[in-house]
Protein backbone atom coordinates (compact mmCIF):
# COMPACT_ATOMS: atom_id res chain seq x y z
CA UNK A 1 0.00 0.00 0.00
CA UNK A 2 1.39 3.38 -0.97
CA UNK A 3 2.06 5.64 2.01
CA UNK A 4 2.13 9.41 2.13
CA UNK A 5 0.19 11.84 -0.03
CA UNK A 6 -0.61 11.65 -3.76
CA UNK A 7 -3.35 12.42 -6.27
CA UNK A 8 -5.04 10.02 -8.68
CA UNK A 9 -7.45 10.61 -11.57
CA UNK A 10 -10.03 8.47 -13.38
CA UNK A 11 -12.54 9.26 -16.10
CA UNK A 12 -15.92 8.00 -17.26
CA UNK A 13 -18.01 8.50 -20.38
CA UNK A 14 -21.78 8.51 -20.78
CA UNK A 15 -24.06 6.12 -22.63
CA UNK A 16 -24.16 8.66 -25.49
CA UNK A 17 -20.39 8.70 -26.03
CA UNK A 18 -19.72 7.27 -29.52
CA UNK A 19 -17.73 4.30 -28.20
CA UNK A 20 -20.46 3.54 -25.68
CA UNK A 21 -23.15 3.68 -28.37
CA UNK A 22 -21.11 1.01 -30.17
CA UNK A 23 -20.72 -1.06 -27.00
CA UNK A 24 -24.46 -0.95 -26.37
CA UNK A 25 -25.39 -2.02 -29.88
CA UNK A 26 -22.91 -4.92 -29.69
CA UNK A 27 -24.21 -6.05 -26.29
CA UNK A 28 -27.80 -5.79 -27.52
CA UNK A 29 -26.84 -8.24 -30.27
CA UNK A 30 -25.34 -10.57 -27.64
CA UNK A 31 -28.56 -10.42 -25.61
CA UNK A 32 -30.71 -11.07 -28.69
CA UNK A 33 -28.87 -14.34 -29.35
CA UNK A 34 -28.60 -15.45 -25.71
CA UNK A 35 -32.31 -14.71 -25.24
CA UNK A 36 -33.08 -17.50 -27.72
CA UNK A 37 -30.18 -19.86 -27.08
CA UNK A 38 -28.19 -19.72 -23.80
CA UNK A 39 -25.29 -21.36 -25.63
CA UNK A 40 -25.23 -19.00 -28.60
CA UNK A 41 -21.85 -17.72 -29.71
CA UNK A 42 -21.41 -14.04 -30.48
CA UNK A 43 -18.43 -11.83 -31.31
CA UNK A 44 -19.93 -8.55 -32.47
CA UNK A 45 -18.20 -5.27 -33.33
CA UNK A 46 -19.98 -1.99 -34.07
CA UNK A 47 -18.82 1.25 -35.68
CA UNK A 48 -20.86 4.45 -35.50
CA UNK A 49 -20.29 7.77 -37.25
CA UNK A 50 -22.43 10.50 -38.81
CA UNK A 51 -25.79 8.81 -39.48
CA UNK A 52 -24.11 5.47 -40.05
CA UNK A 53 -24.04 2.24 -38.03
CA UNK A 54 -21.90 -0.70 -39.18
CA UNK A 55 -22.21 -4.07 -37.39
CA UNK A 56 -19.83 -6.96 -38.09
CA UNK A 57 -18.63 -10.19 -36.51
CA UNK A 58 -19.29 -13.89 -36.04
CA UNK A 59 -22.33 -15.58 -34.54
CA UNK A 60 -23.83 -19.01 -33.97
CA UNK A 61 -27.35 -19.97 -32.94
CA UNK A 62 -29.08 -23.31 -32.42
CA UNK A 63 -30.85 -23.95 -35.75
CA UNK A 64 -34.02 -24.88 -33.89
CA UNK A 65 -34.19 -21.31 -32.60
CA UNK A 66 -33.85 -19.70 -36.04
CA UNK A 67 -36.80 -18.09 -37.81
CA UNK A 68 -38.13 -14.97 -39.56
CA UNK A 69 -38.26 -13.02 -36.28
CA UNK A 70 -34.99 -14.39 -34.88
CA UNK A 71 -31.53 -12.83 -35.39
CA UNK A 72 -30.66 -15.78 -37.67
CA UNK A 73 -32.64 -17.36 -40.47
CA UNK A 74 -33.18 -21.13 -40.94
CA UNK A 75 -30.63 -21.11 -43.79
CA UNK A 76 -27.94 -20.10 -41.31
CA UNK A 77 -27.63 -16.51 -42.51
CA UNK A 78 -27.95 -13.54 -40.19
CA UNK A 79 -31.34 -11.84 -40.25
CA UNK A 80 -30.17 -8.33 -41.11
CA UNK A 81 -33.62 -6.80 -40.64
CA UNK A 82 -33.81 -7.95 -37.02
CA UNK A 83 -30.29 -6.69 -36.27
CA UNK A 84 -31.02 -3.32 -37.91
CA UNK A 85 -34.21 -2.91 -35.89
CA UNK A 86 -32.28 -3.71 -32.72
CA UNK A 87 -29.61 -1.11 -33.49
CA UNK A 88 -32.21 1.59 -34.09
CA UNK A 89 -33.94 0.68 -30.83
CA UNK A 90 -30.68 1.11 -28.92
CA UNK A 91 -29.97 4.53 -30.45
CA UNK A 92 -33.52 5.69 -29.70
CA UNK A 93 -33.21 4.41 -26.13
CA UNK A 94 -30.04 6.46 -25.61
CA UNK A 95 -31.84 9.54 -26.92
CA UNK A 96 -30.29 10.40 -30.28
CA UNK A 97 -32.68 12.35 -32.47
CA UNK A 98 -30.20 14.81 -33.96
CA UNK A 99 -29.61 15.84 -37.55
CA UNK A 100 -26.19 14.18 -37.63
CA UNK A 101 -27.24 11.02 -35.79
CA UNK A 102 -30.86 9.94 -35.57
CA UNK A 103 -32.21 6.54 -34.67
CA UNK A 104 -34.69 6.67 -37.54
CA UNK A 105 -32.50 8.17 -40.28
CA UNK A 106 -29.10 6.53 -39.74
CA UNK A 107 -28.06 3.98 -42.35
CA UNK A 108 -27.41 0.54 -40.85
CA UNK A 109 -25.14 -2.05 -42.49
CA UNK A 110 -24.97 -5.60 -41.08
CA UNK A 111 -21.95 -7.80 -41.82
CA UNK A 112 -22.43 -10.56 -39.25
CA UNK A 113 -21.76 -14.13 -40.40
CA UNK A 114 -21.39 -17.65 -38.99
CA UNK A 115 -18.70 -18.56 -36.45
CA UNK A 116 -15.43 -20.04 -37.70
CA UNK A 117 -15.47 -23.85 -37.60
CA UNK A 118 -11.83 -23.82 -36.44
CA UNK A 119 -12.65 -21.69 -33.40
CA UNK A 120 -15.74 -23.77 -32.62
CA UNK A 121 -13.65 -26.96 -32.71
CA UNK A 122 -11.20 -25.62 -30.14
CA UNK A 123 -13.81 -24.20 -27.81
CA UNK A 124 -16.64 -26.75 -27.84
CA UNK A 125 -16.78 -29.60 -25.35
CA UNK A 126 -16.52 -33.02 -27.02
CA UNK A 127 -16.13 -36.51 -25.61
CA UNK A 128 -13.85 -36.32 -22.57
CA UNK A 129 -12.69 -32.82 -23.51
CA UNK A 130 -14.20 -29.99 -21.46
CA UNK A 131 -15.10 -26.69 -23.06
CA UNK A 132 -11.92 -24.71 -23.67
CA UNK A 133 -11.20 -21.01 -23.45
CA UNK A 134 -12.19 -19.08 -26.57
CA UNK A 135 -8.78 -17.43 -26.74
CA UNK A 136 -5.51 -17.06 -24.89
CA UNK A 137 -5.09 -14.09 -22.61
CA UNK A 138 -4.78 -12.61 -19.15
CA UNK A 139 -7.65 -11.12 -17.14
CA UNK A 140 -7.59 -9.03 -13.98
CA UNK A 141 -10.02 -8.40 -11.15
CA UNK A 142 -9.71 -5.76 -8.45
CA UNK A 143 -11.44 -4.49 -5.33
CA UNK A 144 -10.67 -1.84 -2.73
CA UNK A 145 -12.49 -0.81 0.44
CA UNK A 146 -12.25 2.93 -0.30
CA UNK A 147 -15.90 3.05 -1.43
CA UNK A 148 -19.10 1.27 -0.48
CA UNK A 149 -19.08 -0.45 -3.87
CA UNK A 150 -15.52 -1.70 -3.18
CA UNK A 151 -14.35 0.23 -6.23
CA UNK A 152 -11.70 2.93 -6.74
CA UNK A 153 -13.26 6.23 -5.67
CA UNK A 154 -12.20 8.45 -8.63
CA UNK A 155 -13.83 6.07 -11.11
CA UNK A 156 -16.94 5.41 -9.03
CA UNK A 157 -17.58 9.13 -8.56
CA UNK A 158 -16.98 9.77 -12.28
CA UNK A 159 -19.56 7.10 -13.17
CA UNK A 160 -22.06 8.40 -10.64
CA UNK A 161 -21.92 11.98 -11.90
CA UNK A 162 -22.78 10.93 -15.44
CA UNK A 163 -25.41 8.43 -14.34
CA UNK A 164 -27.26 11.10 -12.35
CA UNK A 165 -27.10 13.52 -15.28
CA UNK A 166 -28.41 10.86 -17.66
CA UNK A 167 -31.31 10.06 -15.34
CA UNK A 168 -32.21 13.75 -15.21
CA UNK A 169 -32.02 13.99 -19.00
CA UNK A 170 -34.21 10.93 -19.57
CA UNK A 171 -36.79 12.11 -17.03
CA UNK A 172 -37.09 15.48 -18.77
CA UNK A 173 -35.78 17.39 -15.76
CA UNK A 174 -32.77 18.65 -17.71
CA UNK A 175 -34.11 19.44 -21.16
CA UNK A 176 -30.92 21.11 -22.40
CA UNK A 177 -28.59 18.15 -21.79
CA UNK A 178 -27.81 15.88 -24.75
CA UNK A 179 -26.56 12.26 -24.65
CA UNK A 180 -22.79 12.65 -25.12
CA UNK A 181 -20.78 13.42 -21.96
CA UNK A 182 -17.50 12.76 -20.16
CA UNK A 183 -16.36 13.22 -16.57
CA UNK A 184 -13.01 13.13 -14.80
CA UNK A 185 -12.33 13.18 -11.07
CA UNK A 186 -9.00 13.78 -9.34
CA UNK A 187 -8.73 12.90 -5.65
CA UNK A 188 -6.04 13.54 -3.05
CA UNK A 189 -5.03 10.45 -1.09
CA UNK A 190 -3.34 10.28 2.28
CA UNK A 191 -1.90 6.87 3.23
CA UNK A 192 -4.04 5.12 0.65
CA UNK A 193 -7.35 6.79 1.55
CA UNK A 194 -9.11 9.51 -0.50
CA UNK A 195 -9.62 12.70 1.52
CA UNK A 196 -10.74 15.37 -0.96
CA UNK A 197 -11.40 16.22 -4.60
CA UNK A 198 -8.72 18.47 -6.11
CA UNK A 199 -10.06 18.69 -9.67
CA UNK A 200 -13.27 17.78 -11.48
CA UNK A 201 -13.96 17.97 -15.22
CA UNK A 202 -17.36 17.46 -16.84
CA UNK A 203 -17.95 17.91 -20.55
CA UNK A 204 -21.53 17.47 -21.69
CA UNK A 205 -23.26 17.93 -24.99
CA UNK A 206 -26.01 20.54 -24.72
CA UNK A 207 -28.61 22.37 -26.75
CA UNK A 208 -27.82 25.65 -28.49
CA UNK A 209 -30.25 27.42 -26.16
CA UNK A 210 -27.83 27.47 -23.22
CA UNK A 211 -24.32 28.89 -22.83
CA UNK A 212 -21.29 27.68 -20.88
CA UNK A 213 -22.32 29.39 -17.63
CA UNK A 214 -25.78 27.81 -17.83
CA UNK A 215 -24.32 24.36 -18.38
CA UNK A 216 -21.93 24.81 -15.46
CA UNK A 217 -24.83 25.51 -13.11
CA UNK A 218 -26.84 22.60 -14.51
CA UNK A 219 -23.95 20.24 -13.82
CA UNK A 220 -22.91 21.56 -10.40
CA UNK A 221 -25.61 19.95 -8.18
CA UNK A 222 -25.03 16.50 -9.69
CA UNK A 223 -21.32 16.70 -8.90
CA UNK A 224 -21.97 17.89 -5.35
CA UNK A 225 -24.50 15.12 -4.76
CA UNK A 226 -21.95 12.46 -5.70
CA UNK A 227 -19.10 13.71 -3.52
CA UNK A 228 -18.95 12.31 0.04
CA UNK A 229 -20.53 14.31 2.84
CA UNK A 230 -18.32 17.22 3.86
CA UNK A 231 -16.45 17.35 0.57
CA UNK A 232 -16.75 20.42 -1.64
CA UNK A 233 -16.27 21.05 -5.34
CA UNK A 234 -12.80 22.56 -5.87
CA UNK A 235 -13.34 26.24 -6.77
CA UNK A 236 -10.27 26.75 -8.93
CA UNK A 237 -10.25 23.31 -10.57
CA UNK A 238 -13.89 22.76 -11.54
CA UNK A 239 -14.07 22.63 -15.32
CA UNK A 240 -17.33 22.32 -17.26
CA UNK A 241 -17.08 22.21 -21.07
CA UNK A 242 -13.62 23.83 -21.02
CA UNK A 243 -13.58 24.17 -24.83
CA UNK A 244 -16.43 26.69 -24.54
CA UNK A 245 -19.35 24.80 -26.06
CA UNK A 246 -20.33 21.22 -26.88
CA UNK A 247 -23.30 21.25 -29.25
CA UNK A 248 -22.10 18.83 -31.93
CA UNK A 249 -21.44 15.51 -30.24
CA UNK A 250 -22.03 11.80 -30.28
CA UNK A 251 -21.21 9.80 -33.42
CA UNK A 252 -21.70 12.96 -35.51
CA UNK A 253 -18.79 14.59 -33.72
CA UNK A 254 -16.51 11.57 -33.38
CA UNK A 255 -16.42 8.02 -34.71
CA UNK A 256 -17.17 5.29 -32.16
CA UNK A 257 -16.04 1.66 -31.95
CA UNK A 258 -16.82 -1.26 -29.69
CA UNK A 259 -14.24 -1.97 -26.99
CA UNK A 260 -12.32 1.31 -26.89
CA UNK A 261 -13.16 2.23 -23.29
CA UNK A 262 -11.71 -0.75 -21.42
CA UNK A 263 -10.26 1.37 -18.58
CA UNK A 264 -13.57 3.17 -18.08
CA UNK A 265 -15.26 -0.25 -18.10
CA UNK A 266 -13.00 -1.66 -15.39
CA UNK A 267 -11.06 0.21 -12.67
CA UNK A 268 -10.15 3.61 -14.07
CA UNK A 269 -6.44 2.80 -14.20
CA UNK A 270 -6.22 1.93 -10.51
CA UNK A 271 -5.57 -1.72 -11.38
CA UNK A 272 -4.07 -3.62 -14.34
CA UNK A 273 -6.17 -4.65 -17.34
CA UNK A 274 -5.46 -7.65 -19.53
CA UNK A 275 -6.36 -5.75 -22.69
CA UNK A 276 -9.47 -7.60 -23.84
CA UNK A 277 -12.74 -5.70 -24.21
CA UNK A 278 -16.04 -7.07 -22.86
CA UNK A 279 -18.88 -5.76 -25.00
CA UNK A 280 -20.08 -7.77 -27.97
CA UNK A 281 -18.80 -11.08 -26.58
CA UNK A 282 -20.83 -14.00 -25.28
CA UNK A 283 -19.71 -15.45 -21.90
CA UNK A 284 -17.70 -18.31 -23.43
CA UNK A 285 -15.13 -15.63 -24.20
CA UNK A 286 -12.81 -15.45 -21.19
CA UNK A 287 -12.02 -11.82 -21.99
CA UNK A 288 -15.43 -11.22 -20.48
CA UNK A 289 -16.32 -14.11 -18.18
CA UNK A 290 -12.87 -14.52 -16.58
CA UNK A 291 -12.60 -10.77 -15.95
CA UNK A 292 -16.00 -10.93 -14.28
CA UNK A 293 -15.04 -13.85 -12.05
CA UNK A 294 -11.72 -12.21 -11.18
CA UNK A 295 -13.63 -9.16 -9.94
CA UNK A 296 -16.01 -11.47 -8.07
CA UNK A 297 -13.14 -13.19 -6.26
CA UNK A 298 -11.30 -9.96 -5.46
CA UNK A 299 -14.47 -8.31 -4.19
CA UNK A 300 -15.24 -11.22 -1.89
CA UNK A 301 -11.70 -11.18 -0.48
CA UNK A 302 -12.08 -7.50 0.45
CA UNK A 303 -15.67 -7.90 1.63
CA UNK A 304 -14.52 -10.73 3.90
CA UNK A 305 -12.02 -8.37 5.52
CA UNK A 306 -9.03 -10.44 4.39
CA UNK A 307 -7.45 -7.41 2.68
CA UNK A 308 -8.08 -3.72 2.06
CA UNK A 309 -7.19 -4.15 -1.60
CA UNK A 310 -6.93 -7.20 -3.80
CA UNK A 311 -5.80 -7.79 -7.38
CA UNK A 312 -6.34 -11.15 -9.06
CA UNK A 313 -4.89 -12.26 -12.39
CA UNK A 314 -6.10 -15.29 -14.37
CA UNK A 315 -4.50 -16.63 -17.55
CA UNK A 316 -5.84 -18.99 -20.22
CA UNK A 317 -4.84 -20.75 -23.45
CA UNK A 318 -7.23 -21.20 -26.38
CA UNK A 319 -8.96 -24.57 -26.29
CA UNK A 320 -7.70 -25.33 -22.75
CA UNK A 321 -10.24 -25.37 -19.92
CA UNK A 322 -8.11 -24.99 -16.80
CA UNK A 323 -6.53 -21.58 -16.10
CA UNK A 324 -2.77 -21.59 -16.47
CA UNK A 325 -2.29 -19.39 -13.43
CA UNK A 326 -4.20 -17.78 -10.57
CA UNK A 327 -2.26 -14.88 -9.06
CA UNK A 328 -3.35 -12.97 -5.94
CA UNK A 329 -1.81 -9.69 -4.75
CA UNK A 330 -3.18 -7.82 -1.73
CA UNK A 331 -0.74 -4.90 -2.09
CA UNK A 332 0.60 -5.20 1.43
CA UNK A 333 -2.87 -4.94 2.98
CA UNK A 334 -3.55 -8.67 3.31
CA UNK A 335 -4.24 -10.37 6.61
CA UNK A 336 -3.72 -13.91 5.24
CA UNK A 337 -1.13 -15.76 3.16
CA UNK A 338 -1.64 -14.95 -0.54
CA UNK A 339 -0.49 -18.37 -1.76
CA UNK A 340 -3.03 -20.12 0.45
CA UNK A 341 -5.67 -17.58 -0.56
CA UNK A 342 -5.14 -18.49 -4.23
CA UNK A 343 -5.70 -22.17 -3.45
CA UNK A 344 -8.80 -21.48 -1.36
CA UNK A 345 -10.36 -19.37 -4.12
CA UNK A 346 -9.75 -22.15 -6.65
CA UNK A 347 -11.39 -24.65 -4.29
CA UNK A 348 -14.44 -22.40 -3.93
CA UNK A 349 -14.97 -21.63 -7.62
CA UNK A 350 -14.35 -23.77 -10.69
CA UNK A 351 -12.38 -21.39 -12.91
CA UNK A 352 -12.83 -23.22 -16.19
CA UNK A 353 -14.93 -21.30 -18.76
CA UNK A 354 -17.87 -23.63 -18.12
CA UNK A 355 -17.40 -23.44 -14.34
CA UNK A 356 -17.36 -19.63 -14.39
CA UNK A 357 -20.52 -19.41 -16.48
CA UNK A 358 -22.37 -21.88 -14.31
CA UNK A 359 -21.25 -20.33 -11.01
CA UNK A 360 -22.20 -16.80 -12.06
CA UNK A 361 -25.11 -17.90 -14.27
CA UNK A 362 -23.82 -15.92 -17.22
CA UNK A 363 -25.73 -17.60 -20.07
CA UNK A 364 -28.49 -15.02 -19.95
CA UNK A 365 -29.37 -11.85 -21.86
CA UNK A 366 -27.95 -9.55 -19.16
CA UNK A 367 -25.26 -7.62 -21.01
CA UNK A 368 -26.90 -4.63 -22.67
CA UNK A 369 -27.14 -2.92 -19.26
CA UNK A 370 -23.42 -3.38 -18.61
CA UNK A 371 -22.34 -1.23 -21.55
CA UNK A 372 -22.48 2.12 -19.70
CA UNK A 373 -21.15 3.37 -16.34
CA UNK A 374 -18.86 0.42 -15.73
CA UNK A 375 -19.16 -3.34 -15.57
CA UNK A 376 -18.19 -3.31 -11.88
CA UNK A 377 -19.37 -1.52 -8.77
CA UNK A 378 -23.00 -2.24 -9.63
CA UNK A 379 -25.70 -3.97 -7.57
CA UNK A 380 -26.57 -7.62 -8.30
CA UNK A 381 -30.01 -7.82 -9.91
CA UNK A 382 -32.82 -10.32 -9.42
CA UNK A 383 -32.65 -11.65 -12.97
CA UNK A 384 -28.94 -12.45 -12.64
CA UNK A 385 -27.53 -9.18 -13.93
CA UNK A 386 -24.20 -8.22 -12.35
CA UNK A 387 -24.03 -11.58 -10.57
CA UNK A 388 -20.26 -11.07 -10.30
CA UNK A 389 -20.94 -8.31 -7.77
CA UNK A 390 -22.35 -10.77 -5.21
CA UNK A 391 -20.43 -11.29 -1.97
CA UNK A 392 -21.70 -14.81 -1.26
CA UNK A 393 -18.20 -16.26 -0.73
CA UNK A 394 -17.53 -14.15 2.35
CA UNK A 395 -18.62 -16.75 4.90
CA UNK A 396 -16.58 -19.55 3.28
CA UNK A 397 -13.50 -17.34 2.97
CA UNK A 398 -13.63 -16.31 6.60
CA UNK A 399 -14.12 -19.91 7.65
CA UNK A 400 -11.15 -21.07 5.57
CA UNK A 401 -8.88 -18.69 7.47
CA UNK A 402 -10.52 -18.95 10.88
CA UNK A 403 -11.68 -15.34 10.68
CA UNK A 404 -14.88 -14.01 12.19
Amino acid sequence: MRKGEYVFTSESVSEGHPDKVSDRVSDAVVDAFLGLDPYARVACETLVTTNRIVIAGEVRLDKRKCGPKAPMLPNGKVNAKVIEKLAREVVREIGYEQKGFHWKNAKVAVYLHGQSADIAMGVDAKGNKDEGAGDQGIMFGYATNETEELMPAPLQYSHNILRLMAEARHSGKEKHLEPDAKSQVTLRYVDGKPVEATAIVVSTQHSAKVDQDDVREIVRPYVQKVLPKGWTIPKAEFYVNPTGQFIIGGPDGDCGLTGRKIIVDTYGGAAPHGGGAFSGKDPTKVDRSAAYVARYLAKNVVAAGLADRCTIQLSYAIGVAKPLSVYVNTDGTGKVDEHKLSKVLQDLVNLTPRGIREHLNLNKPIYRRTSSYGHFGRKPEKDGGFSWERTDLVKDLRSAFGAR
Side-chain angles (χ1 to χ4, degrees), residues 177-253:
L177 294 183
E178 298 290 350
D180 194 1
K182 301 177 78 171
S183 63
Q184 186 170 284
V185 174
T186 301
L187 302 184
R188 181 170 70 93
Y189 282 73
V190 175
D191 292 337
K193 299 296 181 182
V195 296
E196 68 171 341
T198 61
I200 294 175
V201 183
V202 179
S203 295
T204 180
Q205 188 184 14
H206 59 87
S207 75
K209 296 180 180 180
V210 291
D211 60 22
Q212 187 174 11
D213 290 337
D214 294 329
V215 176
R216 184 184 181 90
E217 294 313 307
I218 289 172
V219 168
R220 184 186 298 276
Y222 299 105
V223 174
Q224 190 61 67
K225 186 174 181 179
V226 165
L227 295 178
K229 187 176 180 180
W231 288 24
T232 58
I233 297 173
K235 292 181 179 180
E237 306 292 339
F238 179 43
Y239 303 97
V240 177
N241 286 3
T243 62
Q245 71 174 27
F246 188 1
I247 296 171
I248 299 171
D252 187 31

Side-chain angles (χ1 to χ4, degrees), residues 22-40:
S22 295
D23 284 346
R24 195 157 179 168
V25 171
S26 294
D27 274 337
V29 172
V30 172
D31 282 357
F33 277 81
L34 290 178
L36 289 174
D37 176 10
Y39 303 101

Side-chain angles (χ1 to χ4, degrees), residues 121-395:
M121 179 177 63
V123 175
D124 290 347
K126 188 174 182 180
N128 293 325
K129 175 184 172 295
D130 194 6
E131 177 185 296
D135 200 354
Q136 71 175 46
I138 57 175
M139 298 84 205
F140 287 92
Y142 179 72
T144 171
N145 63 5
E146 63 191 59
T147 62
E148 180 183 343
E149 297 87 356
L150 302 186
M151 287 287 288
L155 178 65
Q156 194 64 42
Y157 299 160
S158 295
H159 284 326
N160 292 349
I161 290 167
L162 295 184
R163 188 185 292 113
L164 287 178
M165 289 170 55
E167 290 171 357
R169 176 175 62 85
H170 283 297
S171 72
K173 180 181 178 181
E174 301 293 356
K175 300 182 185 298
H176 296 299
L177 294 183
E178 298 290 350
D180 194 1
K182 301 177 78 171
S183 63
Q184 186 170 284
V185 174
T186 301
L187 302 184
R188 181 170 70 93
Y189 282 73
V190 175
D191 292 337
K193 299 296 181 182
V195 296
E196 68 171 341
T198 61
I200 294 175
V201 183
V202 179
S203 295
T204 180
Q205 188 184 14
H206 59 87
S207 75
K209 296 180 180 180
V210 291
D211 60 22
Q212 187 174 11
D213 290 337
D214 294 329
V215 176
R216 184 184 181 90
E217 294 313 307
I218 289 172
V219 168
R220 184 186 298 276
Y222 299 105
V223 174
Q224 190 61 67
K225 186 174 181 179
V226 165
L227 295 178
K229 187 176 180 180
W231 288 24
T232 58
I233 297 173
K235 292 181 179 180
E237 306 292 339
F238 179 43
Y239 303 97
V240 177
N241 286 3
T243 62
Q245 71 174 27
F246 188 1
I247 296 171
I248 299 171
D252 187 31
D254 193 10
C255 180
L257 292 170
T258 299
R260 284 206 300 198
K261 287 292 176 283
I262 57 176
I263 300 303
V264 171
D265 285 343
T266 54
Y267 307 103
H273 188 290
F278 303 155
S279 290
K281 299 174 182 178
D282 73 77
T284 66
K285 279 72 170 176
V286 285
D287 275 344
R288 181 166 221 158
S289 57
Y292 285 177
V293 82
R295 159 65 179 176
Y296 171 68
L297 296 177
K299 183 176 183 180
N300 275 271
V301 168
V302 174
L306 303 184
D308 294 338
R309 285 197 290 278
C310 182
T311 301
I312 291 178
Q313 183 206 61
L314 306 176
S315 69
Y316 291 86
I318 188 168
V320 179
K322 186 179 178 181
L324 306 183
S325 63
V326 180
Y327 166 78
V328 178
N329 180 3
T330 55
D331 195 24
T333 71
K335 301 172 179 62
V336 298
D337 179 73
E338 292 172 343
H339 182 65
K340 181 180 177 181
L341 181 56
S342 174
K343 290 185 175 181
V344 169
L345 292 172
Q346 292 176 71
D347 288 340
L348 291 176
V349 181
N350 178 355
L351 295 177
T352 66
R354 183 200 298 273
I356 294 169
R357 292 202 328 277
E358 291 178 350
H359 188 93
L360 296 179
N361 204 7
L362 297 180
N363 287 101
K364 289 184 172 185
I366 54 174
Y367 299 104
R368 185 168 171 169
R369 70 195 75 168
T370 68
S371 61
S372 303
Y373 313 117
H375 292 246
F376 310 126
R378 313 285 286 271
K379 291 183 179 180
E381 298 177 348
K382 291 182 179 180
D383 66 351
F386 301 103
S387 60
W388 49 93
E389 291 296 312
R390 302 189 318 240
T391 53
D392 52 348
L393 296 182
V394 165
K395 183 177 179 180

Side-chain angles (χ1 to χ4, degrees), residues 82-159:
V82 170
I83 301 299
E84 177 182 340
K85 182 180 179 182
L86 188 61
R88 294 190 188 281
E89 176 187 305
V90 166
V91 175
R92 181 171 58 85
E93 181 180 84
I94 293 170
Y96 275 114
E97 295 185 345
Q98 301 168 4
K99 182 179 179 180
F101 195 69
H102 196 296
W103 66 270
K104 187 182 293 184
N105 301 330
K107 294 182 180 179
V108 181
V110 179
Y111 299 105
L112 291 168
H113 58 81
Q115 185 190 46
S116 160
D118 289 349
I119 291 177
M121 179 177 63
V123 175
D124 290 347
K126 188 174 182 180
N128 293 325
K129 175 184 172 295
D130 194 6
E131 177 185 296
D135 200 354
Q136 71 175 46
I138 57 175
M139 298 84 205
F140 287 92
Y142 179 72
T144 171
N145 63 5
E146 63 191 59
T147 62
E148 180 183 343
E149 297 87 356
L150 302 186
M151 287 287 288
L155 178 65
Q156 194 64 42
Y157 299 160
S158 295
H159 284 326

